[in-house]
Amino acid sequence: MIGEIVVRKRLGASGITRRAMLAGGLATLVAARALRAAETDAPLKDLARDRGILYGSATSAREIATDADFAALIVRECAAIVPESDMKWGEMTVGDRQFDFTPGDRDVAFAAAHRLAVRGHNLIWYRNTPDWFLALSDRQSAEDAMVQHITEMCRRYEGGVFCWDVVNEAINPADGRPDGLRKAVFLEKLGPNYLDLAYHTARAAAPDAILVLNDYDQIDDNRGGDARRAATLALLERMKKAGTPVDAVGIEAHLDPGGAPFSAAKLRQFLKAVAAMGLDIHITELDATDENLPASIAQRDQMLADAYRQFLDVALDEAAVKVVMTWGLSDRYSWVNSDQISPGFRRKDDLPSRPLPFDRALQRKPIWYALAQSFQHAPVRTPTKAPPAVAAENAAK
Ligand code: G3I
């Protein structure tokens, strides 16, 4: 990516230097790409939409309410938002079977006011489930509670949420089950068919929503990644054969440059296999940790941008990939710099990580250019079935 570095240093009133443009085919191509992304000044949502891709970011009612500059950046850059935690069953719980819908309602209202689509995240997740549910001792009570929760969420946000991560992170081959399912609360209380019940319940309550099976580490080139890809495909085959309504696969894509190895061939093969089932693919939580990268901000930013580019150039070659969500828009708000990140992904030098397209001052970073260039060079595809609000937005362009 030398050409790209040269270009970025000289991009300005005079544009690219003659030397860079004459340096040879690759540098010129790279220079032209960077210039287009820099010159267009178009927001990421427009660059993505021109290729049939819906781009957005995770956020929260708190960020939107307390940070007007950040909220304005979300509106400028994104065609969609996903509540990072506001709609999670555990986060919403304020007492025994008592819930606070206010943050989720505010997210949906903000999106409607700015004609943004909303991804619903998530209906059930073993890691964020109310204590009172965990304490239920009999299967029927657990089944009734899960069905009631899914039904209530889908009905409440029908028309505001265009897709739901119905079951989050159901796969965990390391648990040793032949079906690769995670041994956790829903499996223990309801058996493996909890998935089918969850998706049928969501379809009944929100017949127009896209129902997504969301998970992580399907992109790693190692035994864990191989097992996760195989288990995901096997689960989808079983669900499709059983007539269970699942419409798309969510790939979280928490990148880890210098950590987990990456195989373009294996990712292409996996995406192709999912698409061959007639499913869409959503990139749902794209960001990158930098615990393995140098302290230098310039070097780190470029290596992070390269990791985004490497992943996206492969992923976006697959026409079934319709949605790309970064797991945040600015380093000002990232779980990577919170106590939520596993110690193994924290920098040893305690420098703040730089996982997202905008820095803490809301200025573009090389990651922004990587997203812009990947969008600009992606094949055009049929857009996802977005809600009327976004369709109206697109029509108005
Ligand atoms: O809202 C409360 C606040 O009132 C309270 O003062 C504060 C005290 O620490 O906690 C706040 O809730 C936190 C919430 O994020 C909102 O910031 C929770 O403690 C914290 O556990 C929660 O962490 C989130 C985590 O999921 C667990 O829900 C992270 O921000 C979020 O990035 C992370 O996202 C997950 C995806 O949902 C699924 N895929 C993996 C990804 C990373 O773990």
Side-chain angles (χ1 to χ4, degrees):
M1 294 291 184
I2 295 300
E4 211 165 12
I5 295 172
V6 168
V7 164
R8 219 185 332 285
K9 285 178 181 165
R10 289 168 175 70
L11 268 185
S14 62
I16 298 172
T17 64
R18 182 173 169 72
R19 182 170 66 86
M21 291 302 282
L22 296 176
L26 175 61
T28 306
L29 174 66
V30 165
R33 282 182 173 185
L35 179 60
R36 245 201 324 279
E39 270 197 331
T40 61
D41 199 38
L44 291 172
K45 68 181 178 184
D46 289 353
L47 299 173
R49 190 200 61 239
D50 291 348
R51 320 308 284 180
I53 298 161
L54 184 70
Y55 168 73
S57 171
T59 186
S60 71
R62 183 180 56 79
E63 291 165 3
I64 290 167
T66 58
D67 189 337
D69 293 340
F70 179 74
L73 188 67
I74 287 276
V75 172
R76 168 184 154 74
E77 293 291 327
C78 301
I81 59 170
V82 54
E84 186 166 0
S85 293
D86 292 339
M87 290 185 175
K88 291 172 182 171
W89 202 4
E91 296 297 334
M92 294 168 55
T93 297
V94 293
D96 191 326
R97 300 169 194 263
Q98 293 178 309
F99 310 103
D100 180 5
F101 292 95
T102 307
D105 292 353
R106 287 178 177 163
D107 293 325
V108 171
F110 174 80
H114 298 285
R115 298 204 290 192
L116 305 177
V118 180
R119 291 200 82 254
H121 176 81
N122 45 54
L123 291 173
I124 60 171
W125 183 27
Y126 75 96
R127 255 185 59 189
N128 204 284
T129 303
D131 290 340
W132 60 263
F133 181 85
L134 301 176
L136 294 175
S137 55
D138 69 293
R139 178 186 179 123
Q140 192 57 54
S141 301
E143 186 174 301
D144 294 346
M146 185 184 84
V147 167
Q148 182 178 354
H149 171 64
I150 292 174
T151 301
E152 186 168 23
M153 292 295 283
C154 287
R155 285 182 179 165
R156 184 183 191 91
Y157 296 118
E158 190 171 8
V161 167
F162 83 99
C163 71
W164 280 105
D165 291 336
V166 177
V167 176
N168 204 53
E169 302 180 2
I171 298 281
N172 196 35
D175 284 350
R177 285 178 53 95
D179 57 13
L181 290 181
R182 181 183 298 277
K183 289 181 180 174
V185 56
F186 295 101
L187 183 81
E188 285 152 7
K189 287 188 183 297
L190 300 174
N193 292 341
Y194 81 90
L195 285 136
D196 308 86
L197 177 60
Y199 283 85
H200 278 295
T201 302
R203 178 68 96 224
D208 295 332
I210 295 168
L211 304 184
V212 186
L213 179 74
N214 189 51
D215 222 312
Y216 63 91
D217 282 3
Q218 314 97 325
I219 61 179
D220 295 350
D221 180 16
N222 52 29
R223 285 181 56 193
D226 295 344
R228 298 187 76 86
R229 285 185 289 274
T232 301
L233 295 175
L235 174 58
L236 291 166
E237 293 283 4
R238 182 193 71 69
M239 292 171 78
K240 299 293 280 180
K241 193 173 176 184
T244 299
V246 56
D247 307 306
V249 170
I251 295 177
E252 294 183 12
H254 294 291
L255 308 180
D256 182 15
F262 172 78
S263 160
K266 287 184 178 179
L267 179 59
R268 284 184 200 284
Q269 183 183 20
F270 176 64
L271 299 178
K272 191 168 186 302
V274 171
M277 292 181 194
L279 299 173
D280 282 353
I281 298 163
H282 294 190
I283 307 302
T284 54
E285 306 180 15
L286 179 57
D287 61 13
T289 57
D290 56 15
E291 77 281 3
N292 297 304
L293 304 185
S296 151
I297 286 181
Q299 282 184 300
R300 208 168 357 138
D301 279 357
Q302 186 56 53
M303 295 168 88
L304 287 161
D306 292 347
Y308 270 72
R309 193 78 203 271
Q310 178 187 55
F311 167 71
L312 283 171
D313 282 355
V314 173
L316 296 180
D317 265 352
E318 173 48 67
V321 175
K322 310 281 189 178
V323 177
V324 174
M325 305 294 284
T326 45
W327 203 236
L329 195 55
S330 159
D331 298 342
R332 185 180 291 185
Y333 305 109
S334 169
W335 75 293
V336 175
N337 285 316
S338 79
D339 59 5
Q340 288 301 312
I341 192 83
S342 307
F345 291 101
R346 290 184 189 146
R347 293 189 61 84
K348 303 295 182 285
D349 56 15
D350 289 333
L351 289 173
S353 293
R354 297 174 60 84
L356 294 168
F358 289 86
D359 67 15
R360 290 168 182 267
L362 307 187
Q363 298 306 304
R364 284 179 182 176
K365 293 161 58 194
I367 288 173
W368 186 96
Y369 292 89
L371 280 156
Q373 289 151 24
S374 287
F375 289 148
Q376 284 177 315
H377 293 90
V380 177
R381 73 234 34 231
T382 308
T384 185
K385 177 186 65 175
V390 176
E393 170 83 9
N394 292 344
K397 292 287 179 188

